[in-house]
Amino acid sequence: MLPARYRMRRSAEFSATVSRGVRAVQPDVVVHALHEGTDATGPRVGLIVSKAVGNAVERHRVSRRLRHAARTVIPRLDATDLVVIRARAGSSAAPSPQLEQQLQRALERLESRRRTSP
């Protein structure tokens, strides 16, 4: 379970992160990240699991697995980061370690972009 203080709840945060943030695509997840300098209460992570993933049972299963994977990367995030993890259609068939590895790889790509950009 992802602690409550790290959960993204407001649709404005989701919208801003997806529209203004940078994106890293992996086979089973798409990660959007925005380094927002205003709120330093801790990084916030949000999930988007659409009906393309499967029925309600499969979507909830993918959500639980992604929340668990997100817990492992929270210490690597800055206090002002907003991250949205979007599950792709094949994510329901992917094993949990693979989802976690893809999430870490996507965040590493985003971090390297942040370091190289002005």
Side-chain angles (χ1 to χ4, degrees), residues 43-109:
R44 296 213 195 284
V45 177
L47 300 176
I48 299 174
V49 183
S50 72
K51 287 186 177 182
V53 172
N55 64 24
V57 173
E58 292 170 343
R59 291 194 309 269
H60 287 290
R61 184 177 297 129
V62 169
S63 295
R64 284 192 304 270
R65 291 168 45 211
L66 287 174
R67 274 195 301 270
H68 181 73
R71 278 182 50 169
T72 64
V73 298
I74 283 182
R76 296 176 32 198
L77 299 174
D78 290 337
T80 57
D81 282 345
L82 299 175
V83 176
V84 172
I85 305 165
R86 181 188 304 264
R88 298 182 77 186
S91 60
S92 62
S96 294
Q98 182 178 339
L99 290 176
E100 187 172 338
Q101 182 182 26
Q102 289 181 20
L103 176 59
Q104 290 177 357
R105 197 173 328 148
L107 288 172
E108 287 169 5
R109 287 181 61 202

